[in-house]
Amino acid sequence: MTEVERRFGARPVDPIVESKVFNAARRTVTLLVEAGPDCAFWQIYRHEDCLLREHGQGGRAAVIQKLEASRAQTDVRFLAVVDADFDRLPGALGLAESPDVILTDGHDLETTLLGTPALEKMVRHAKGATNADDEARWRESTRSRLFRHGRGMGGLRWLKVRARLESLAFKKPGRGSTKGQIEPFGRYDDCVDADWLPSLARAVHAVLNYSQAQALAGERDLVAEVQALPAVDDAQLCNGHDLLGFLGVYLAPGNRAVAREEDLHGDLVLATERAWVAQTRMWASIRAWERAHPGFRVLTDDP
């Protein structure tokens, strides 16, 4: 379900049909992204001759399916930017990047953006001088501590994929007012120790409780298995939803981070400066796509 469908109960025009209509008038590319938060980011940088469409909870698979369906149409032009997920980690057999499929630099868009100085801007704005006191007490930067949180949870997510632990869940169908939607794990305050100290044991316990898979704890030592995973780049391992969840625990202690994730994502987008985005691999790939398709514009002009 896309954001438009969720809010207004109406289905937008199929992007293939829409592309045909627009291309009949002028060259127009449609940028396909996974969900509403991705739209909120790319909306800032898209050219006026670029349509921007998201596929909501269909995720990456829905984007690629729509892109593949468009290839038989000569008057349709699509470009997709999707999350890399675990595709750059050892043993992954996921989506291969192609000229029409661009992967985020990090695990996903949020992790990519949190890899820029936008993270420090958000923290300075929310915590002020108290952040310097915290870092002095921790003897560690907020960035380092946040990615240590994300490394543990990301490792658990990766272990689920590698070991095919289907009983572990990181999202569930919503209930009540969220029925018909997918609700991601959000109990990040249960995953941390005192003073926002990373705790893999607490994170594993929280996910097992959320998954109602406590029996798995008697079958496997998940903490030891996560710790035994190969060392990999944090940017490819850490999930952006987790990073924002853990960041929310630090910036607003006592509040359920899941209730603030949309606000945190908005803050992250606004804190990210164009110059930092322009240094990413995904930005360079989009510019390369534009050069290979004269007349089609995706991004606004560089200032």
Side-chain angles (χ1 to χ4, degrees):
M1 179 180 292
T2 66
E3 186 68 11
V4 171
E5 292 171 320
R6 184 177 72 82
R7 291 189 177 186
F8 304 108
R11 288 186 175 276
V13 175
D14 184 284
I16 292 178
V17 175
E18 183 181 49
S19 182
K20 286 176 176 286
V21 172
F22 274 82
N23 269 303
R26 63 182 180 184
R27 290 190 170 190
T28 305
V29 59
T30 299
L31 180 62
L32 301 176
V33 298
E34 294 190 33
D38 302 313
C39 262
F41 172 76
W42 288 110
Q43 182 67 34
I44 298 173
Y45 303 105
R46 74 171 182 91
H47 192 272
E48 61 181 7
D49 289 340
C50 173
L51 301 175
L52 180 60
R53 298 293 177 259
E54 50 110 343
H55 280 70
Q57 295 177 0
R60 192 171 82 161
V63 171
I64 300 305
Q65 183 180 37
K66 185 62 65 175
L67 179 67
E68 292 299 326
S70 75
R71 295 195 187 281
Q73 309 291 329
T74 58
D75 51 354
V76 172
R77 185 68 65 189
F78 284 170
L79 175 65
V81 178
V82 296
D83 293 342
D85 293 339
F86 293 124
D87 287 354
R88 296 192 181 104
L89 297 188
L93 296 174
L95 179 67
E97 195 162 11
S98 74
D100 293 327
V101 179
I102 294 170
L103 304 183
T104 54
D105 290 44
H107 182 279
D108 47 42
L109 179 62
E110 292 80 8
T111 302
T112 301
L113 301 185
L114 286 167
T116 75
L119 170 59
E120 283 75 16
K121 283 182 65 175
M122 290 177 66
V123 173
R124 286 196 303 270
H125 180 265
K127 301 292 286 188
T130 62
N131 177 242
D133 296 335
D134 291 339
E135 292 185 336
R137 184 176 65 257
W138 300 335
R139 297 183 180 181
E140 180 179 28
S141 70
T142 305
R143 172 176 295 278
S144 171
R145 206 168 181 89
L146 175 62
F147 275 83
R148 281 208 292 133
H149 281 295
R151 192 183 309 149
M153 190 68 87
L156 189 58
R157 289 178 183 268
W158 191 26
L159 180 66
K160 169 185 168 73
V161 174
R162 287 167 61 97
R164 300 180 181 178
L165 302 179
E166 300 303 327
S167 59
L168 278 185
F170 291 92
K171 55 187 177 182
K172 293 180 179 179
R175 298 179 179 179
S177 61
T178 60
K179 188 175 182 179
Q181 302 176 48
I182 299 298
E183 293 295 319
F185 174 84
R187 301 298 295 267
Y188 292 97
D189 49 349
D190 292 338
C191 298
V192 306
D193 220 328
D195 200 21
W196 201 50
L197 182 68
S199 171
L200 178 57
R202 289 179 65 90
V204 168
H205 182 72
V207 172
L208 286 173
N209 284 342
Y210 174 82
S211 306
Q212 296 182 333
Q214 291 85 350
L216 191 60
E219 302 169 4
R220 313 178 69 118
D221 186 345
L222 295 179
V223 172
E225 289 188 54
V226 170
Q227 291 173 332
L229 288 170
V232 294
D233 181 7
D234 285 348
Q236 305 305 321
L237 178 66
C238 294
N239 181 289
H241 175 75
D242 295 335
L243 292 174
L244 285 178
F246 284 118
L247 184 60
V249 173
Y250 174 56
L251 299 184
N255 292 339
R256 290 294 184 192
V258 68
R260 301 187 66 253
E261 184 182 354
E262 185 174 345
D263 292 337
L264 284 170
H265 187 279
D267 291 344
L268 175 60
V269 168
L270 293 176
T272 303
E273 298 180 16
R274 182 189 180 98
W276 303 333
V277 182
Q279 294 172 4
T280 63
R281 186 189 315 177
M282 61 187 183
W283 185 278
S285 296
I286 295 174
R287 286 300 193 203
W289 187 94
E290 288 179 323
R291 290 192 295 271
H293 299 83
F296 289 96
R297 300 296 308 279
V298 181
L299 301 172
T300 55
D301 294 323
D302 292 326

